[in-house]
Amino acid sequence: MVSMPLLKVDRVTCGYGDMQVLTDVSIEVQRGEVVSIIGPNGAGKSTVMKAVFGLLHPWSGTIEFDGVDISRHEPYQIVETGMCYVPQVANVFTELTVDENLDMGAFVRADSEVGQRKEQIFELFPRLYERRRQKAGKMSGGERQMVAMGSALMLDPKLILLDEPSAGLAPKMVDHIFERIVHINQTFNIAVMMVEQNAKQSLQMAHRGYVMASGENRVEGTGEELLNDPDVARLYLGG
């Protein structure tokens, strides 16, 4: 018996205003799975994220999360179902401290649960505990990314959406962020769907991947299959 996907994007077409970006895009994420979406700039990868999180609504097609059609839901409704989104930019409250950012992330949780969850986040990102009183706007790009991911995890989501989590980070910090993503998936059993320009590294950690180009699905398979596909390597992995 095939299990029902946690997230099912089924033949979604959408865009901005009159400009169509996605055409019949279909993507699935199973429970506890890491899925990476790769492709060139302008492929529509971030648009998929925005459509899934309700920042854009499909012109056609459907989006289901945990068995519920969320195609017309707004972001605040989607958060309440157990999905969080970490955008590439403007993903922290710069004038708030680390502690305050985490508290903001827990806005739909009971007060009694916040302290315990925050302890788990500090165990995951020890540097945030060290700098918990510091304003997020004074932190490095990598540290802000940790704050953003920690804030999303405060909600104990079933699925976290990560849009370019390694963008603009130093190589050593990129390795650390990817390591933490694997830890989040394996330790907290949280499904991850990420858009990432660092295609090779993201596919190495992904259970499955999708290659997009010009707003359409082009190739899909396990992370290993895509890494070993000569056409994918030539066109999208720089090899």
Side-chain angles (χ1 to χ4, degrees), residues 62-73:
T62 59
I63 301 172
E64 293 183 3
F65 180 65
D66 208 10
V68 176
D69 188 335
I70 61 169
S71 305
R72 313 308 298 179
H73 285 196

Side-chain angles (χ1 to χ4, degrees), residues 102-118:
L102 296 181
D103 288 339
M104 291 292 288
F107 68 99
V108 298
R109 289 178 67 90
D111 289 344
S112 60
E113 301 172 335
V114 172
Q116 181 179 356
R117 189 62 173 178
K118 193 181 289 187

Side-chain angles (χ1 to χ4, degrees), residues 26 149 168 210:
S26 295
M149 292 168 62
Y210 291 84

Side-chain angles (χ1 to χ4, degrees), residues 168-183:
L169 303 185
K172 184 177 291 188
M173 184 58 72
V174 169
D175 291 341
H176 181 70
I177 290 296
F178 277 126
E179 176 190 302
R180 294 297 85 191
I181 292 171
V182 171
H183 188 82

Side-chain angles (χ1 to χ4, degrees), residues 89-239:
V89 296
N91 54 17
V92 297
F93 295 98
T94 57
E95 293 303 310
L96 299 184
T97 66
V98 170
D99 253 335
E100 290 166 340
N101 268 275
L102 296 181
D103 288 339
M104 291 292 288
F107 68 99
V108 298
R109 289 178 67 90
D111 289 344
S112 60
E113 301 172 335
V114 172
Q116 181 179 356
R117 189 62 173 178
K118 193 181 289 187
E119 288 180 9
Q120 294 174 326
I121 301 306
F122 286 145
E123 288 178 10
L124 180 67
F125 297 114
R127 193 174 304 189
L128 296 188
Y129 179 76
E130 297 168 3
R131 307 195 178 185
R132 61 193 183 280
R133 305 279 189 259
Q134 185 172 343
K135 287 187 177 181
K138 301 294 185 180
M139 303 178 82
S140 70
E143 290 167 340
R144 286 197 299 271
Q145 186 66 30
M146 294 179 200
V147 174
M149 292 168 62
S151 296
L153 292 171
M154 285 294 293
L155 287 169
D156 193 17
K158 303 168 190 170
L159 172 66
I160 184 169
L161 309 178
L162 301 174
D163 191 353
E164 302 282 7
S166 74
L169 303 185
K172 184 177 291 188
M173 184 58 72
V174 169
D175 291 341
H176 181 70
I177 290 296
F178 277 126
E179 176 190 302
R180 294 297 85 191
I181 292 171
V182 171
H183 188 82
I184 288 165
N185 171 249
Q186 295 179 350
T187 302
F188 296 104
N189 195 33
I190 295 172
V192 178
M193 184 172 84
M194 65 177 171
V195 162
E196 182 52 60
Q197 284 292 331
N198 194 331
K200 286 184 180 179
Q201 199 162 352
S202 67
L203 288 176
Q204 285 170 353
M205 59 180 284
H207 296 96
R208 292 188 307 107
Y210 291 84
V211 180
M212 291 185 60
S214 302
E216 299 179 353
N217 293 93
R218 291 298 169 88
V219 189
E220 65 179 271
T222 67
E224 184 177 3
E225 286 170 346
L226 295 182
L227 284 168
N228 294 325
D229 185 313
D231 291 332
V232 171
R234 178 173 54 85
L235 294 172
Y236 306 109
L237 302 181

